Amino acid sequence: MKPYLTLFLATLFSSASYAATPSNSLVIAIPLDGIISFDPAESFETVSTSSLVNLYQGLVSADRNHPQQIVPAAAASWTAGSQPHSLRFTLKPNQAFASGNPLTADDVIYSLSRAVKLNKAPVFILGEFGWSPENIDASLQKISNTEVEIRWQSDIGQDLALRLLSAPVASIVDHKLVSEHQQAGDYGNNWLKNHSAGSAAYSIQRYVPQQALLLEKNPHSAIQPKIAQVLLKGVPDASARRLLLTQGDADIAYGLGADQFAALRHTAGVKVASFPSSLIYYLAFNAQDSQQPALGNPALWQAARWLVDYASLSQQLLKGQYQVHQSFLPVGFDGALEKTPFTLDVAKAKQILTKAGIKPGTTFTLSFTNQPPYSDIAQALQASFAQADIQIKLQPVPEAELWGKMRSRQFQSIFAYWGADYIDPNTNASTFAYNVPNGPKTLAWRVGWSIPQLSELTQQAAATSDAAKRRTLYQQIQTSVMQDSPFVVALQGAQQVGLRSNIEGAQQSLGVSMLYFDQITK
């Protein structure tokens, strides 16, 4: 076993306190129970998906300082392709994966093809191209080892196409390495659940489910980070994460409560960094639930909008770290609606419920992640809904279990978050406002919301190239979801992170991302 791995695992399972972490290593205290897979074709959970930016490159990416701009990643440049709906990419020369294998056009084609054919949770993003297992191979053409042409069937422009290709699901995997671990035609998916095959600054050295994720510097990466190893240490309890940070046993702590972040601001040796975030927080009802028909009644959805104490959640419970926000496009995205028409109004909610014949004492279960801030918010919702004699049973679960419930429609109501997969309004519109027969399993599908006309409008917005018309369409779609849907969007939060005072260069993306580890120094 490598010496640093022995040291890290000894640190992981030891309860001893250390004055400081090693100078060439980074220790992060974070809950790891939400991880299902590190395969970019499958990963769609907080920590795993957020880690991919440090493990993989796509052809393009959002600029770190100006996320609305698309910049080259593995690609050096691109031009219009041979067909109206196509782009031709030229790869940067002499790139290599962590294995040492060269990154070529074959890897690009294999990566996009396997993602579509595996048909896992994030595939709906690539489905925006009109790709399917039947047509994907004909949509990808190798021109040379360093050139590839990508074609698509959907009526979308080149700008949206580039933004779709910046999503984690479009990450480029090492074709040769993954093929060596293929089993029964799984395209290496089972192996990639716990390993990596990328070309970014780090690679997975070892993963112990729910306990530790150890990343090692990729010697072949174009960017050579100052930190050699990164250990994400699984710590389920938020108070324990805070303690590790203040003691110096962790350099970084994620997932703390509002009170804990507030206390850290007055603690010697640590600091709190706040980053703009695309994360929005929403309540959703399963309109197809057979045990509680009221969940499919639009009157309950409407009443619910007046039973959330938005201001109290934002300012009192969450100490102003989350802002009231009631549309599915986060602030910072083109066309995002910032109006907040709903407030706590129990009398109005009761009137709506009575008129619709929804009886007092109506009860449903609310599922949520058993981590801050979800537990506190869930209790607040339980209290405010009770004022209208709507009873909520609380069901806290590990994050991975929550996503399983959502994807299988095995829930009555849910309080969760959604983060942008790429920086474009379509990223959220295509999941909150799109549900078609035999289509992708979007959020609208998961809550059983049938919306043929709104889905058509969402497709129209995606195909529109005129910026002003596109903005108007997305505002129309947002208004529809805001006013009459099973979704009650309540908050948008900045991403806050606890850091030791000696950590410099901390930065992360507006989308779903952890810190860029390749920028950090101690």
Side-chain angles (χ1 to χ4, degrees):
M1 184 180 289
K2 295 182 179 180
Y4 70 79
L5 183 54
T6 304
L7 171 63
F8 266 71
L9 293 179
T11 302
L12 171 64
F13 296 111
S14 171
S15 60
S17 177
Y18 300 90
T21 59
S23 60
N24 67 338
S25 304
L26 198 66
V27 178
I28 302 172
I30 188 170
L32 296 179
D33 60 354
I35 294 174
I36 295 175
S37 174
F38 287 100
D39 185 343
E42 180 177 29
S43 177
F44 217 45
E45 298 73 47
T46 309
V47 176
S48 52
T49 303
S50 298
S51 300
L52 297 182
V53 69
N54 292 295
L55 301 173
Y56 291 93
Q57 292 187 96
L59 286 167
V60 296
S61 66
D63 184 87
R64 293 187 179 187
N65 297 312
H66 305 284
Q68 295 283 359
Q69 299 177 13
I70 294 295
V71 296
S77 61
W78 54 87
T79 61
S82 61
Q83 301 179 12
H85 289 168
S86 65
L87 285 166
R88 182 170 294 191
F89 293 87
T90 300
L91 301 178
K92 294 175 181 176
N94 304 317
Q95 295 182 95
F97 293 100
S99 66
N101 291 329
L103 192 160
T104 70
D106 290 323
D107 299 294
V108 176
I109 291 171
Y110 175 78
S111 300
L112 294 173
S113 177
R114 74 180 289 275
V116 172
K117 292 175 181 177
L118 281 171
N119 196 31
K120 300 293 185 178
V123 73
F124 74 92
I125 298 168
L126 299 181
E128 294 285 331
F129 286 104
W131 290 342
S132 67
E134 293 73 30
N135 67 22
I136 182 61
D137 289 336
S139 303
L140 308 170
Q141 181 184 4
K142 177 181 178 181
I143 308 301
S144 69
N145 279 340
T146 58
E147 286 185 289
V148 61
E149 183 164 297
I150 293 176
R151 303 166 186 149
W152 58 91
Q153 295 73 35
S154 295
D155 187 17
I156 62 172
Q158 293 181 357
D159 182 70
L160 179 54
L162 288 168
R163 295 181 188 280
L164 293 169
L165 290 172
S166 72
V169 68
S171 298
I172 303 169
V173 302
D174 185 337
H175 177 199
K176 292 181 180 178
L177 179 62
V178 173
S179 296
E180 291 172 4
H181 296 279
Q182 179 171 303
Q183 298 177 354
D186 75 342
Y187 297 97
N189 172 247
N190 190 58
W191 183 77
L192 275 179
K193 287 178 184 289
N194 302 316
H195 300 82
S196 64
S199 58
Y202 291 91
S203 62
I204 294 177
Q205 177 61 30
R206 186 171 180 185
Y207 172 54
V208 182
Q210 300 189 36
Q211 298 181 46
L213 171 65
L214 180 60
L215 307 182
E216 177 185 18
K217 181 168 71 172
N218 171 13
H220 305 288
S221 172
I223 300 175
Q224 285 299 298
K226 298 290 192 300
I227 301 293
Q229 296 94 32
V230 179
L231 174 68
L232 283 75
K233 182 173 181 175
V235 185
D237 181 69
S239 296
R241 295 195 289 273
R242 175 176 174 266
L243 183 61
L244 288 171
L245 180 68
T246 57
Q247 287 180 163
D249 296 319
D251 299 296
I252 297 170
Y254 274 94
L256 303 182
D259 288 337
Q260 293 166 324
F261 276 122
L264 286 180
R265 296 182 188 279
H266 306 286
T267 303
V270 299
K271 57 187 176 181
V272 176
S274 183
F275 304 100
S277 172
S278 67
L279 295 180
I280 60 168
Y281 298 80
Y282 65 92
L283 170 66
F285 302 104
N286 184 349
Q288 300 296 321
D289 183 71
S290 60
Q291 296 181 348
Q292 180 48 275
L295 296 172
N297 190 332
L300 178 66
W301 309 344
Q302 187 61 220
R305 285 157 166 73
W306 302 103
L307 289 175
V308 178
D309 193 347
Y310 305 92
S312 178
L313 287 177
S314 171
Q315 298 305 313
Q316 297 179 29
L317 186 65
L318 301 173
K319 311 296 184 186
Q321 296 169 6
Y322 296 74
Q323 300 303 313
V324 176
H325 185 70
Q326 296 176 352
S327 65
F328 66 70
L329 277 187
V331 174
F333 277 55
D334 187 41
L337 293 179
E338 298 187 38
K339 61 183 180 181
T340 54
F342 303 106
T343 59
L344 178 66
D345 191 331
V346 176
K348 182 175 289 189
K350 284 184 174 181
Q351 184 180 23
I352 295 169
L353 294 169
T354 300
K355 184 177 180 180
I358 297 175
K359 297 179 179 180
T362 295
T363 302
F364 59 86
T365 299
L366 176 66
S367 303
F368 55 93
T369 301
N370 58 354
Q371 291 287 340
Y374 307 100
S375 299
D376 293 336
I377 294 173
Q379 291 176 29
L381 292 174
Q382 184 185 49
S384 61
F385 273 66
Q387 294 181 55
D389 206 4
I390 299 295
Q391 307 304 315
I392 297 179
K393 295 180 179 179
L394 301 184
Q395 185 182 55
V397 297
E399 186 177 351
E401 184 177 337
L402 185 76
W403 303 139
K405 285 178 173 293
M406 285 190 69
R407 291 167 188 169
S408 61
R409 289 174 162 176
Q410 298 300 311
F411 68 95
Q412 289 194 319
S413 69
I414 199 162
F415 188 84
Y417 70 88
W418 185 264
D421 297 298
Y422 50 94
I423 311 301
D424 185 85
N426 188 66
T427 185
N428 283 15
S430 63
T431 195
F432 280 93
Y434 187 74
N435 180 18
V436 297
N438 302 314
K441 295 181 179 180
T442 62
L443 283 182
W445 176 89
R446 293 174 189 175
V447 300
W449 190 31
S450 180
I451 42 172
Q453 292 180 331
L454 191 60
S455 296
E456 185 176 337
L457 191 63
T458 299
Q459 286 183 307
Q460 181 184 341
T464 301
S465 56
D466 182 277
K469 291 181 180 179
R470 194 168 190 257
R471 187 178 303 114
T472 299
L473 286 172
Y474 280 121
Q475 289 177 344
Q476 182 180 343
I477 295 166
Q478 287 174 86
T479 299
S480 180
V481 175
M482 179 189 292
Q483 295 292 338
D484 185 20
S485 77
F487 300 106
V488 183
V489 180
L491 300 163
Q492 180 178 348
Q495 178 67 68
Q496 296 195 317
V497 186
L499 308 169
R500 293 295 300 176
S501 297
N502 65 330
I503 298 297
E504 301 294 339
Q507 182 186 8
Q508 64 184 49
S509 168
L510 178 63
V512 178
S513 170
M514 296 186 73
L515 295 171
Y516 296 115
F517 299 147
D518 56 24
Q519 295 185 183
I520 293 178
T521 59
K522 297 171 72 173

